[in-house]
Amino acid sequence: MSTHGFALGNLPDEYEDLRSTVEEFTREVVAPVSAEHDAAKTFPYEVVSGMADMGLFGLPISEEYGGMGGDYFALSLAIEELARVDQSVAITLEAGCSLGAMPIYRFGTDEQKQKYLPALAAGTSLGGFGLTEPGAGSDAGGTRTTARLDGGEWVVNGNKQFITNSGTDITSLVTVTAVTGTTTGKDGNEKPEISTIIVPSGTPGFTAEPAYNKVGWNASDTHPLTFDDVRVPEENLLGRRGRGYAHFLSILDEGRIAVAALAVGAAQGCVDESVKYAREREAFGKPIGDNQAIAFKIARMEARTMTARAAYYSAAARMLAGKPFKKDASVAKMIAGEAAMDNARDATQIHGGYGFMNDYVVSRHYRDSKILEIGEGTTEVQLLLIARSLGL
């Protein structure tokens, strides 16, 4: 796919065709079951199977490893369309591809890629991204999980927290960061050596604990993980020893573009629902959309959405052009996350009492969107990264 011509309302044909296809799938397959899965807090296996059949999980992965040979912008467009209606489904795709498969695609050996990527790209299996710990969230460098070599095997001990796609029936692996020793920093002081290790599901001692009772993203699979003397082959080291933390940070830089796309989809979904409601709902003898107070609120929602979309389009274009994009990804993620939360709040207000009912899409967006200001780097972390890029 071409990496040129990202413009609002003027996508190249191959991207527009993809976007349109996913829009139709979202309308016909996702929307009818979203409320049911949200209420029951069940993982939407039938929806995930449909996305797998469309090749969405393999969009940015080369055909050599079973992917579609597309790019990260294509993945982001698909995520945006899904998130308009169902953020749980969108984050399942985002995490399955950008967090589950991409570490192996970016840093794995050819043998690891051949072994794991075809199923991940096909969407017949899911991978988790084991970075966050009970005491290491924004401070991901404070990893306490350990891995030591013993007789040609890594012995992993520790805990991970808030790990998406880690406990489904089709989860095949989790890549985890672990302290594998110590190294000397530029300042001459010792610091933890953090590496990344592939842990297949079903390995003795690896337990996906009971799922969280969450505020939102109820149909997304999220678990704490326990590693108790988990033994995996030495060749399950992913990337260079001691580069695990750096590898995962680069994965997060890419992932922030995809999460920004998800947030834009959520923000757009709130606009769509609010326009529809404002046209249909009458008060004092006329549609509420005839009132400037309502019309202007929706206009601001649309402005936020367009601004956030332009930001993630720009970050994706820089990434695909091989230009530095870390700051751009942080800007996009921050702006989009705030737009989603602000739009969800406004959409709920526009819907009045109905907006507080779980039967309405905006109520789910209200519950779901808060995590977009937290996950894959809080708003405060994005501000820190932006400030550092400016030399502050």
Side-chain angles (χ1 to χ4, degrees), residues 130-137 142-146 158-162 177-178:
L131 176 63
T132 304
E133 297 187 359
T143 297
R144 298 295 176 85
T145 296
T146 62
N159 303 92
K160 297 295 179 178
Q161 189 160 266
F162 311 137
T177 49

Side-chain angles (χ1 to χ4, degrees), residues 57 114 134 230 246 262 265 283 290 300 350:
F57 287 93
Q114 295 286 359
V230 175
L262 192 159
D290 287 356
R300 286 191 180 277
I350 289 167

Side-chain angles (χ1 to χ4, degrees), residues 19 40 45 59 62 75 86 109 132 205 255 260 275 283 286 301 307 310 313 337 343 374:
R19 190 208 62 76
Y45 286 101
L59 275 173
S62 68
L75 174 66
D86 193 326
T109 63
T132 304
V275 169
K286 63 180 180 180
M301 292 167 63
T307 301
Y313 276 25
N343 279 15
I374 299 171

Side-chain angles (χ1 to χ4, degrees), residues 162-163 166-167 207-213 221-226:
F162 311 137
I163 310 304
S166 59
T207 304
E209 303 294 349
Y212 293 102
N213 182 14
D221 178 82
T222 320
H223 297 261
L225 307 178
T226 300

Side-chain angles (χ1 to χ4, degrees), residues 3-287:
T3 60
H4 304 291
F6 297 173
L8 298 179
N10 187 32
L11 291 173
D13 289 344
E14 63 267 32
Y15 291 114
E16 179 55 33
D17 289 345
L18 171 67
R19 190 208 62 76
S20 178
T21 299
V22 178
E23 179 186 33
E24 181 181 2
F25 174 82
T26 302
R27 183 175 62 254
E28 296 183 356
V29 177
V30 180
V33 300
S34 290
E36 177 184 344
H37 282 297
D38 177 78
K41 300 185 177 181
T42 50
F43 189 74
Y45 286 101
E46 76 280 21
V47 173
V48 171
S49 178
M51 292 193 294
D53 290 343
M54 295 169 66
L56 300 187
F57 287 93
L59 275 173
I61 296 172
S62 68
E63 295 179 6
E64 177 184 3
Y65 300 110
M68 298 294 287
D71 56 38
Y72 217 83
F73 184 60
L75 174 66
S76 298
L77 286 175
I79 290 169
E80 179 187 342
E81 288 302 320
L82 292 167
R84 290 192 185 204
V85 169
D86 193 326
Q87 292 188 42
S88 289
V89 168
I91 194 59
T92 298
L93 174 60
E94 192 279 334
C97 189
S98 73
L99 300 182
M102 294 308 284
I104 295 172
Y105 187 54
R106 297 295 190 209
F107 308 114
T109 63
D110 187 64
E111 181 181 1
Q112 289 170 338
K113 293 176 183 178
Q114 295 286 359
K115 181 176 182 179
Y116 296 114
L117 283 179
L120 293 172
T124 54
S125 75
L126 295 173
F129 182 81
L131 176 63
T132 304
E133 297 187 359
S138 295
D139 179 21
T143 297
R144 298 295 176 85
T145 296
T146 62
R148 60 180 175 83
L149 279 174
D150 178 50
E153 294 180 316
W154 291 105
V155 182
V156 183
N157 283 280
N159 303 92
K160 297 295 179 178
Q161 189 160 266
F162 311 137
I163 310 304
T164 306
N165 293 344
S166 59
T168 73
D169 293 344
I170 58 173
T171 298
S172 62
L173 62 90
V174 175
T175 55
V176 300
T177 49
V179 177
T180 52
T182 58
T183 185
T184 303
K186 293 180 180 180
D187 57 4
N189 296 321
E190 281 196 346
K191 63 177 184 178
E193 173 194 78
I194 299 177
S195 304
T196 309
I197 296 170
I198 301 170
V199 180
S201 299
T203 303
F206 170 29
T207 304
E209 303 294 349
Y212 293 102
N213 182 14
K214 297 174 292 186
V215 171
W217 285 5
N218 285 329
S220 166
D221 178 82
T222 320
H223 297 261
L225 307 178
T226 300
F227 302 88
D228 184 9
D229 283 339
V230 175
R231 303 181 76 96
V232 298
E234 185 175 356
E235 57 265 29
N236 279 31
L237 176 72
L238 181 63
R240 285 171 46 200
R241 179 169 176 167
R243 293 292 295 169
Y245 183 50
H247 289 338
F248 267 35
L249 288 182
S250 69
I251 291 296
L252 286 176
D253 287 339
E254 295 180 358
R256 284 172 184 142
I257 296 174
V259 170
L262 192 159
V264 168
Q268 187 66 62
C270 288
V271 173
D272 297 343
E273 292 297 316
S274 296
V275 169
K276 179 182 176 182
Y277 187 78
R279 287 172 175 169
E280 296 175 350
R281 170 70 163 144
E282 291 192 359
F284 304 104
K286 63 180 180 180

